[in-house]
Amino acid sequence: MEIGPIFRSLSRNKTRSILLILEIAVTLAIVLNCWNLMMQQRESLMRPSGIDEKNIIAVEVQTFGPDYQDWEYRRQVVSRDVAALRQLPGVIDATPISNFPLQGGGSSLQAKPLGARDTALTRAPVYTVDDHMLRTLDLEIVAGRAFEAGDLRSEDGPVIMNVIVTQDLAEALFPDGDAIGQTIDTGSEEWPDIIVGVVDAMHTPYGGGPMESQILFYPGFASRASGMNYLIRTEPAAFDSVFSAVDGVLLESEPSRVVQVQTLLEIKGGGQVISRFSVQVLSTIIGLLLFVTTLGIYGMTSFSVTQRTKQIGTRRALGASQGAILRYFLLESLVVTLIGSALGLIAASGLDVLIASQMDSERLGPTVLATGILLLWSLAILATIVPALRASKLSPALATRTV
Amino acid sequence: MPMIELVDVTKNYRTDLVETCALDSLSLAIEEGEFVSVSGPSGSGKTTFLNVVGLLDTFDQGTYTIDGQDVSKLTDRAQSRIRNEKIGFIFQGFNLIPDLDVFDNVDVPLRYRRLPREERRERIVRSLELVGLGGRLKHLPSQLSGGQQQRVAIARALASDPRLILADEPTGNLDSATAAEIMHLLHEINEEGATILMVTHDAGCAAQAQRQIHLLDGRLIDYRPTEAPNIRLSQIAPVS
């Protein structure tokens, strides 16, 4: 093995080596972090929502007029609407909801155990639903109880609320024990919330990170002066008929409204646009960087072979076989790539810390690190093999040429 | 058994338009321990001859045996092994690797032979001391004079303990005093038993060989095996 002489030779050609080492290090740092973010986005896209999304209809109602400024009036309209929707043949259940899940955003808040430091704050998407939420979304209570009619607020204004959380949020807030009965602070110590139920896994895309499955449900008649939203879960066979009937049912009681009916899958598709675009952008960045770096390694090796033609002839004259010349250039490339990779790992860790401080993302894991490094090494070998093979084919007679 | 023996060796260079005969049915035998010079005008085939003898280039016809072994049908790996173990090369332009220090330069052929580290080190130090450069192990070629660089190249050739040394214009890039030193060194090596085949333009250097061969248009001129004894080291001009 010629690692010693190769290392000493590289150290005497600092400019050429350092430029390539830096290129490899920067590429590795960016590629690993982009890869990590991309994998998280992909995982988020592929992850089951935990709700019966195929059989749920999403209804957005726009309202007009002064009557809807009144909270009590809206409560009566919402009660009447959901009662009528639940009467439709084939409907399993329906609930008002403050905003649709799976749409890639919505409302979120920060929650912590009452009295805990701000470092314990956990961000969570939040939905206001009524006591038919579990059946509508097809979620299971794993601890505590479901919402009851008495949990729904009977008047506007701040009150102490009973809330339901997903299991992931319960574990994030109370990792050491049972969350049922615990009090949480969601922005006001004076009006805290009490956890009365924990549901099994639910996941909604929200820009990535663990918050997507740390979800909080408030009980209430979700509505605004400008409108309200409903989710309707149907029997699979009745989906189309319910879908067609929804706007008629709603407009029959309150004709001066605009009703937009969509499937929840359509909502989900729209909600995933940004994530899918992010995956495309990140994979493009990764591809371009790896391509440019591969080109750089190819260029350096190719230039090096051209520059050292006479030296290669001399080595051949001194006894190097074609295989020995091939191994020499592959080894030289590997040494450069190894040094670049080592620096790249340090830079990647730094960038990872920076990203984690700005985004709610998962840290770089061993799988991403190993995959990224192996990929870069493979590309380095691929980029070196062609000029190295060319070098190995050079004639030993070049040693005596006066070029 | 001759150290090298060529029988009717022919080498042609072809382009799309022209075919040039560089070696024309050349036959020659050199015994072990001889010091032979090869001279001739430019284009006479000296370098081609050296390349063929040194297994640096192929030939088209004829047979060539080195130390009794027919080399014409050997694989690249086998030819590389013969170059590494039996032949030492000394080039006009020294051909040292500029990025490697003196120690690593001499080490190059030894690494290809996969000798143990300690043995390599002993051989490198011994051969460099033999050429008077035992104190320059860590110098780069650029930090040495032309004569010193050629001494390193000779040390590199000697480190492998070759039976045959091929020198291509070994004094061509040196002043006369340094050239005399190098010739003196080559005679010392020859006295130790190595066969030396030296291509040179310099009539003075050629005359110091035991036997002189002249090439013209790829053919030997007035070739005859010499019966003259070796010129002894004492007959070489003293080094100032």
Side-chain angles (χ1 to χ4, degrees), chain B residues 22-209:
Chain B
L23 295 179
D24 188 1
S25 296
L26 191 141
S27 295
L28 165 75
I30 295 175
E31 299 298 325
E32 183 156 19
E34 275 196 286
F35 188 149
V36 178
S37 69
V38 180
S39 55
S42 292
S44 60
K46 297 190 300 293
T47 300
T48 303
F49 171 70
L50 191 82
N51 285 347
V52 167
V53 171
L55 306 182
L56 303 181
D57 208 349
T58 55
F59 52 93
D60 301 317
Q61 288 173 31
T63 57
Y64 171 33
T65 55
I66 179 166
D67 202 18
Q69 187 175 11
D70 184 349
V71 298
S72 52
K73 291 187 174 60
L74 292 179
T75 61
D76 171 76
R77 194 181 173 83
Q79 289 197 358
S80 300
R81 191 166 179 174
I82 291 176
R83 283 198 299 271
N84 183 253
E85 293 180 1
K86 292 192 174 174
I87 305 174
F89 289 93
I90 301 167
F91 302 100
Q92 179 179 359
F94 323 132
N95 290 25
L96 298 177
I97 295 168
D99 303 333
L100 300 181
D101 61 25
V102 165
F103 185 95
D104 282 337
N105 261 291
V106 179
D107 196 19
V108 169
L110 304 181
R111 280 180 179 270
Y112 293 133
R113 201 187 285 193
R114 299 174 187 275
L115 294 175
R117 179 196 293 254
E118 261 318 298
E119 186 180 345
R120 290 196 337 254
R121 181 167 187 82
E122 279 172 24
R123 282 174 179 243
I124 293 165
V125 171
R126 191 174 64 226
S127 60
L128 281 168
E129 280 173 354
L130 199 70
V131 299
L133 290 174
R136 306 281 168 106
L137 300 183
K138 292 296 159 195
H139 282 60
L140 288 171
S142 59
Q143 296 168 315
L144 301 175
S145 68
Q148 287 172 324
Q149 288 187 50
Q150 193 59 297
R151 282 170 179 273
V152 175
I154 292 172
R156 182 176 66 186
L158 292 179
S160 297
D161 273 340
R163 306 267 301 279
L164 172 66
I165 287 183
L166 300 180
D168 180 19
E169 303 274 11
T171 59
N173 282 358
L174 304 175
D175 61 62
S176 56
T178 313
E181 283 179 32
I182 296 300
M183 286 305 297
H184 189 82
L185 202 51
L186 288 177
H187 273 281
E188 278 184 340
I189 295 163
N190 179 236
E191 290 234 317
E192 292 293 321
T195 309
I196 297 182
L197 183 60
M198 176 179 70
V199 167
T200 181
H201 264 109
D202 188 321
C205 287
Q208 291 179 33

Side-chain angles (χ1 to χ4, degrees), chain A residues 228-243:
Chain A
M228 56 278 291
N229 303 315
Y230 303 116
L231 291 179
I232 309 159
R233 181 170 165 230
T234 74
E235 298 289 354
F239 189 86
D240 290 342
S241 60
V242 173
F243 191 92

Side-chain angles (χ1 to χ4, degrees), chain A residues 330-397:
Chain A
L330 286 174
L331 204 58
E332 187 180 69
S333 174
L334 199 63
V335 168
V336 169
T337 310
L338 278 174
I339 298 170
S341 301
L343 290 175
L345 279 180
I346 296 168
S349 302
L351 196 58
D352 181 40
V353 170
L354 187 68
I355 290 171
S357 71
Q358 302 294 318
M359 294 171 61
D360 195 10
S361 64
E362 287 177 30
R363 302 295 296 273
L364 279 173
T367 311
V368 173
L369 291 176
T371 310
I373 289 172
L374 281 177
L375 183 66
L376 194 67
W377 288 357
S378 307
L379 288 173
I381 290 171
L382 205 67
T384 310
I385 198 93
V386 173
L389 274 171
R390 183 158 54 85
S392 73
K393 297 276 191 291
L394 288 173
S395 166

